[in-house]
Amino acid sequence: MGRTLVYVLVSVILLSGIGICAFLILAKPAWQEEEPPLFEAKGTACDLSERVPVLLNRGPEIKDGFRGDVHPMLRSPGEMKVAAAWKFDKSQETDTAFPLAPRKLQEILLNLAVAVPTKTYTARDFSAFLPAEEPQEVGQTWALDSDKLIDFLKQFHPAPSMHLLARGRRAGPDGAFATLRAISPTHIDIVFRVHAEYDVMPAQYKDRLPMPGAWYSPSSFLGRLVIDREAGAVEYFRLALPNDDRHNVHCTLSNGFDEGEVHGWMRIERMELVAGNKARVDGLTWTNEMAATDAQSRLTKIFYRFKDIDWVPFEKAEEIARQKKKPIFVVVAMGSLDNQTC
């Protein structure tokens, strides 16, 4: 009897142990339990795969840039360390549309930070900004190989895209272009403009169906590359988000359905990659040059066809209309039309 009782107790203990183990294995810890939806599900799942970007205003005079390995101009094998900075007011959601979004998604946008503070690049990397052949004429313009610029953009965040897809707006215009701003026997000065977008949705939300989206769309990236022709090396490099507007980033948050998105705008004080001595290159003497604003205007027109319109100051519109006997067409815009914040 006693021995039987012992066997029964041992059996109960073993079975209990098996049950407990099975529970621990099968039960989800609290941190693994499925989170509630980020948004209320409405409508049908959206499909961004067939969106066609806005056409560029690119003429036949704009050729493709360098598509090889290392450009002949960059003879020096030297390396250049590029520093990244990304600074903004992290309490600025009161000045945007973000209060309409779940707090978790607001936090994604308000806690972004540089992915790689410093990174070393070589002549192979900087060759992506150069034309097919050594430039000779100020104003010469060429298209950059977007795929070769991705590594630079990853210094900010690991998921950049050169194809702008954010919901709630037209896709694109995509691309990156450069122009020769100034030239001398010893140096060339190139300015460029890049359109890019970041997918900032955290990985833990990527496996949801339909997949939610969080897009971070800078107005544009403007840059400068100065090359020492005698040394065959890059002397100065900068790629930065301009900060002369009140808002310079457009943000889109989507729940993955056709009827579920919010938009907001952010003010970024500093988002740049920089290397070299700016004071030195600013002191260079040029044989031929154009103003930096004129060079950037030339690039802006490639992205936006409406920039070819002969715009006039509002206060002079009536006088000019009477002289030319033409009607007045007035456009009222709530934001900038010539960058990606609108």
Side-chain angles (χ1 to χ4, degrees):
M1 180 68 181
R3 181 174 296 181
T4 302
L5 180 59
V6 171
Y7 287 153
V8 171
L9 290 174
V10 170
S11 300
V12 171
I13 292 171
L14 288 174
L15 289 173
S16 300
I18 293 172
I20 292 171
C21 290
F23 174 79
L24 292 175
I25 293 172
L26 296 176
K28 289 184 177 180
W31 56 270
Q32 285 187 344
E33 291 180 359
E34 187 172 346
E35 297 179 6
L38 296 175
F39 286 96
E40 181 183 354
K42 293 182 178 180
T44 57
C46 60
D47 182 6
L48 305 180
S49 62
E50 297 183 0
R51 298 189 72 196
V52 178
V54 176
L55 294 178
L56 294 169
N57 187 28
R58 175 182 175 180
E61 74 282 1
I62 301 176
K63 308 298 183 181
D64 284 341
F66 183 67
R67 296 296 187 266
D69 191 22
V70 178
H71 199 283
M73 288 189 66
L74 300 180
R75 303 181 305 275
S76 173
E79 300 177 337
M80 195 171 205
K81 185 176 291 187
V82 175
W86 194 352
K87 297 181 180 179
F88 58 96
D89 178 6
K90 296 183 182 296
S91 64
Q92 65 178 283
E93 71 268 26
T94 56
D95 193 33
T96 68
F98 296 144
L100 300 176
R103 183 62 193 178
K104 285 187 178 180
L105 293 187
Q106 293 180 38
E107 291 173 352
I108 292 170
L109 298 168
L110 296 171
N111 288 284
L112 294 169
V114 165
V116 184
T118 59
K119 184 176 179 179
T120 299
Y121 297 90
T122 66
R124 182 194 308 269
D125 301 308
F126 289 112
S127 293
F129 295 95
L130 298 178
E133 299 178 356
E134 184 169 349
Q136 301 293 335
E137 184 178 351
V138 168
Q140 177 183 342
T141 305
W142 58 94
L144 305 182
D145 186 342
S146 297
D147 292 338
K148 292 186 176 181
L149 303 182
I150 289 292
D151 282 345
F152 287 91
L153 299 178
K154 284 183 177 179
Q155 205 170 335
F156 293 121
H157 186 278
S161 172
M162 300 297 292
H163 184 28
L164 283 65
L165 282 176
R167 290 285 316 278
R169 51 191 298 189
R170 292 287 301 275
D174 300 335
F177 296 87
T179 190
L180 181 63
R181 190 202 71 82
I183 191 169
S184 76
T186 61
H187 290 80
I188 63 170
D189 189 348
I190 294 169
V191 298
F192 55 88
R193 177 174 178 137
V194 178
H195 280 200
E197 190 168 77
Y198 288 91
D199 176 0
V200 295
M201 181 62 72
Q204 65 263 34
Y205 300 131
K206 290 285 190 179
D207 59 352
R208 300 191 177 193
L209 294 175
M211 188 176 73
W215 293 277
Y216 187 92
S217 307
S219 59
S220 68
F221 286 115
L222 306 182
R224 184 184 185 192
L225 182 73
V226 179
I227 295 178
D228 184 331
R229 305 173 75 180
E230 296 177 330
V234 174
E235 187 162 339
Y236 178 76
F237 171 77
R238 183 174 185 259
L239 180 151
L241 170 66
N243 62 358
D244 47 356
D245 290 330
R246 179 183 178 187
H247 297 127
N248 51 6
V249 172
H250 182 276
C251 300
T252 308
L253 303 172
S254 169
N255 66 351
F257 290 89
D258 283 337
E259 301 177 16
E261 65 188 53
V262 294
H263 297 267
W265 295 263
M266 295 183 69
R267 162 75 181 179
I268 307 302
E269 297 298 331
R270 187 183 179 200
M271 187 178 184
E272 70 171 359
L273 305 178
V274 64
N277 188 332
K278 183 177 184 298
R280 169 169 163 69
V281 297
D282 283 346
L284 294 172
T285 300
W286 303 102
T287 305
N288 192 11
E289 65 178 314
M290 72 167 69
T293 52
D294 292 340
Q296 287 295 352
S297 177
R298 180 184 296 260
L299 297 175
T300 304
K301 288 182 178 181
I302 301 174
F303 291 96
Y304 304 103
R305 188 176 298 273
F306 76 87
K307 295 292 286 186
D308 284 333
I309 297 173
D310 185 17
W311 299 91
V312 299
F314 182 79
E315 61 273 13
K316 294 184 177 181
E318 183 177 358
E319 176 186 349
I320 295 174
R322 290 182 182 279
Q323 291 174 356
K324 295 186 176 183
K325 297 182 179 180
K326 292 184 177 180
I328 297 175
F329 180 67
V330 179
V331 176
V332 179
M334 298 298 291
S336 299
L337 294 178
D338 57 359
N339 65 51
Q340 293 309 104
T341 57
C342 186

